[in-house]
C-alpha cells in the first residue's frame, strides 16, 4: 500500500468513529422510538448484501495463486458455505472450511501460500 | 435485584460466549498477520483492532488498502459492512435503553455479531429479568470475545512472518466471511439478496477502486427488501 502514516490513521480514526456511531445510533441517540419499516427492511439485508460481494472475487481469483481460480480454494469455500448454511454455526463452517482446504491442497499436491 | 443474581447473569453470559473463542482467536490472528504483511506497523494494526473493533470491517478496509483504493471508497465499504449493527442497536434499545449513558456507550462499543446474537436471544426468552441482569449477561458474553480479539491480533502481528505458508492463511479471511454468510441465509429474501450480491459483484468487477462492491451491495440490499415486501403482501 502507498498510504502515508497520517493517511492510515485518518482511515482508522474515521472507521472507528463511524463504527461506534452506527453501534450507538439507536441505543444511545434515537432510543426506542420506532424506525420506519422500510429502513429496518433494508438494514436486515446489509450483511448478506455486502459480504458476498466482497468474498466473490477473493474466492474466484485468489491472490495466493496469482489470481488464477484454484480448485482447492473453490472446494473449501463451497464446504464452508454449505456447512454454515446447514448447521447455522459459524464455528463449524470455519473448522470444516479450513479442514477441506488443507485436505484438498494435500490431495492436489499443492502447498499453501503466505500471501495474505 | 440482588447482587448475586447479577453476578450469575454475568457468568451465564460468559459461559454462553466461550465457544466463540474458536472463531475470534483465529480471526484476530489472521488480521494481525494480514495487517503486518500489508505493511502496517504494530501500532497501526492495534489501532485498527482497538478503535474499529469489528473484524469483517477491518478486513474489508485492509483488503482495499492493499489495492490502494481511494479513502472514501474504503470508508464507505467498511462502514457498509457494519451497517447491520444499526439494526442490532435498534433491537437492543427496547431492552437496554434505560441503562445509564456510559453503559449504553460501552454496550455499543462492544457490539459484535456473536454476543449480540446471544444477548438478544436471552432477552427475548426472559424479558422479565431486571435491567442490571440484562447488562450483566451482555458483558459476560463479551468477556471471552473482546479481550481475545485484541490479544490474538497482537500475537498475529508478531507471529506474522513465522507462520509457514502450508497453513494457507491467505484463505482464512474468505472462509471466515463465508462462515458468517451461511448462517445468515435464513429466509428466501436473504438468499436472493446474497445471490444478487454475487452476480452484481461479478458484473461490476471491472469497475475502478472497488466501487463495484458498493454498488453490488446497494442493489442486493434493495432486492432483498423488495422480495421481503412482496412476500408479505402476497400472504
Amino acid at each position: 500500500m502507498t498510504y502515508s502514516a497520517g493517511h492510515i490513521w485518518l482511515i482508522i480514526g474515521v472507521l472507528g468513529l463511524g463504527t461506534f456511531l452506527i453501534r450507538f445510533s439507536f441505543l444511545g441517540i434515537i432510543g426506542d422510538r420506532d424506525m420506519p419499516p422500510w429502513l429496518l427492511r433494508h438494514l436486515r439485508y446489509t450483511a448478506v448484501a455486502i459480504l458476498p460481494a466482497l468474498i466473490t472475487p477473493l474466492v474466484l481469483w485468489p491472490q495466493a495463486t496469482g489470481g488464477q481460480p484454484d480448485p482447492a480454494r473453490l472446494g473449501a469455500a463451497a464446504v464452508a458455505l454449505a456447512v454454515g448454511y446447514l448447521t447455522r454455526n459459524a464455528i463449524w463452517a470455519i473448522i470444516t472450511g479450513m479442514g477441506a482446504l488443507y485436505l484438498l491442497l494435500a490431495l492436489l499436491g499443492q502447498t499453501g501460500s503466505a500471501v495474505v | 435485584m440482588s447482587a448475586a443474581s447479577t453476578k450469575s447473569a454475568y457468568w451465564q453470559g460468559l459461559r454462553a460466549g466461550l465457544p466463540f473463542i474458536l472463531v475470534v482467536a483465529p480471526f484476530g490472528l489472521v488480521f494481525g498477520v494480514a495487517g503486518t504483511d500489508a505493511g502496517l506497523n504494530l501500532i497501526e494494526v492495534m489501532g485498527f483492532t482497538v478503535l474499529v473493533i469489528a473484524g469483517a470491517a477491518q478486513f474489508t478496509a485492509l483488503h482495499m488498502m492493499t489495492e490502494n483504493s481511494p479513502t472514501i471508497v474504503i470508508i464507505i465499504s467498511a462502514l457498509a459492512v457494519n451497517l447491520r449493527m444499526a439494526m442490532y442497536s435498534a433491537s437492543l434499545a427496547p431492552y437496554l435503553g434505560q441503562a445509564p449513558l456510559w453503559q449504553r456507550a460501552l454496550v455499543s462499543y462492544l457490539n459484535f455479531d456473536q454476543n449480540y446474537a446471544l444477548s438478544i436471544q436471552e432477552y427475548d426468552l426472559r424479558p422479565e429479568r431486571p435491567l442490571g441482569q440484562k447488562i450483566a449477561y451482555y458483558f459476560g458474553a463479551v468477556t471471552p470475545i473482546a479481550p481475545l480479539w485484541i490479544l490474538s491480533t497482537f500475537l498475529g502481528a508478531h507471529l506474522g512472518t513465522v507462520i509457514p505458508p502450508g497453513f494457507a492463511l491467505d484463505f482464512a479471511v474468505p472462509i471466515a466471511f463465508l462462515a458468517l454468510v451461511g448462517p445468515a441465509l435464513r429466509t428466501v429474501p436473504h438468499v436472493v439478496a446474497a445471490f444478487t450480491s454475487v452476480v452484481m459483484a461479478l458484473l461490476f468487477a471491472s469497475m475502478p477502486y472497488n466501487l463495484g462492491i458498493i454498488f453490488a451491495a446497494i442493489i442486493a440490499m434493495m432486492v432483498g427488501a423488495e422480495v421481503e415486501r412482496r412476500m408479505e403482501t402476497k400472504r
Side-chain angles (χ1 to χ4, degrees):
Chain A
M1 63 179 73
T2 56
Y3 306 94
S4 66
H7 201 148
I8 290 170
W9 280 106
L10 176 77
I11 293 173
I12 294 174
V14 173
L15 275 185
L17 185 67
T19 299
F20 177 76
L21 288 177
I22 289 172
R23 285 167 162 158
F24 193 59
S25 55
F26 290 93
L27 190 57
I29 304 164
I30 303 174
D32 52 6
R33 268 166 282 174
D34 284 340
M35 281 204 278
W38 67 265
L39 182 61
L40 280 171
R41 213 191 281 279
H42 282 78
L43 288 177
R44 257 197 284 284
Y45 298 97
T46 51
V48 288
I50 187 138
L51 288 176
L54 278 166
I55 303 164
T56 304
L58 298 178
V59 170
L60 291 182
W61 306 297
Q63 257 180 28
T65 56
Q68 289 305 305
D70 172 43
R73 287 177 172 78
L74 287 172
V79 168
L81 184 64
V83 171
Y85 178 74
L86 294 172
T87 64
R88 302 266 177 254
N89 187 319
I91 300 171
W92 280 116
I94 290 179
I95 293 173
T96 54
M98 287 308 281
L101 178 62
Y102 295 147
L103 187 68
L104 287 167
L105 285 173
L107 286 176
L108 296 168
Q110 289 169 298
T111 51
S113 167
V115 182
V116 179
Chain B
M1 133 195 52
S2 73
S5 52
T6 305
K7 211 172 171 185
S8 76
Y10 175 85
W11 284 108
Q12 198 193 341
L14 195 147
R15 271 196 305 276
L18 278 180
F20 290 112
I21 288 176
L22 284 174
V23 182
V24 172
F27 214 34
L29 214 56
V30 173
F31 184 79
V33 174
T36 27
D37 264 19
L40 298 179
N41 64 37
L42 181 65
I43 302 174
E44 288 160 350
V45 170
M46 295 319 291
F48 252 115
T49 282
V50 174
L51 295 178
V52 184
I53 195 152
Q58 288 173 228
F59 276 112
T60 303
L62 185 66
H63 172 65
M64 291 185 140
M65 285 167 82
T66 58
E67 297 190 344
N68 291 313
S69 299
T71 310
I72 186 74
V73 178
I74 297 173
I75 287 168
I76 291 175
S77 302
L79 289 182
V81 170
N82 283 341
L83 256 187
R84 68 188 186 286
M85 292 166 180
M87 202 181 65
Y88 298 171
S89 183
S91 71
L92 287 175
Y95 297 109
L96 305 181
Q98 302 301 317
L101 185 69
W102 70 269
Q103 286 186 354
R104 280 181 286 146
L106 203 56
V107 163
S108 304
Y109 169 68
L110 296 170
N111 191 341
F112 311 123
D113 296 290
Q114 294 94 355
N115 61 306
Y116 160 76
L118 288 175
S119 300
I120 205 74
Q121 214 177 334
E122 158 68 23
Y123 303 158
D124 281 344
L125 211 63
R126 279 183 277 276
E128 75 285 354
R129 275 196 150 178
L131 179 62
Q133 289 183 25
K134 290 196 172 93
I135 291 279
Y137 184 93
Y138 188 92
F139 287 123
V142 87
T143 299
I145 299 175
L148 186 67
W149 173 248
I150 293 169
L151 180 70
S152 59
T153 306
F154 182 78
L155 286 177
H158 272 288
L159 291 174
T161 47
V162 187
I163 297 175
F167 283 94
L169 281 185
D170 64 278
F171 213 58
V173 176
I175 293 285
F177 279 10
L178 282 162
L180 293 176
V181 171
L185 299 173
R186 288 189 310 275
T187 65
V188 173
H190 282 93
V191 175
V192 177
F195 182 73
T196 307
S197 170
V198 170
V199 174
M200 291 300 149
L202 293 175
L203 276 179
F204 298 146
S206 57
M207 281 181 86
Y209 311 131
N210 281 318
L211 270 172
I213 291 172
I214 295 173
F215 286 115
I218 292 172
I219 294 171
M221 216 190 286
M222 290 165 61
V223 168
E226 180 59 19
V227 171
E228 183 194 306
R229 197 184 62 81
R230 288 191 189 179
M231 285 176 68
E232 266 175 16
T233 47
K234 223 195 268 175
R235 229 176 272 144

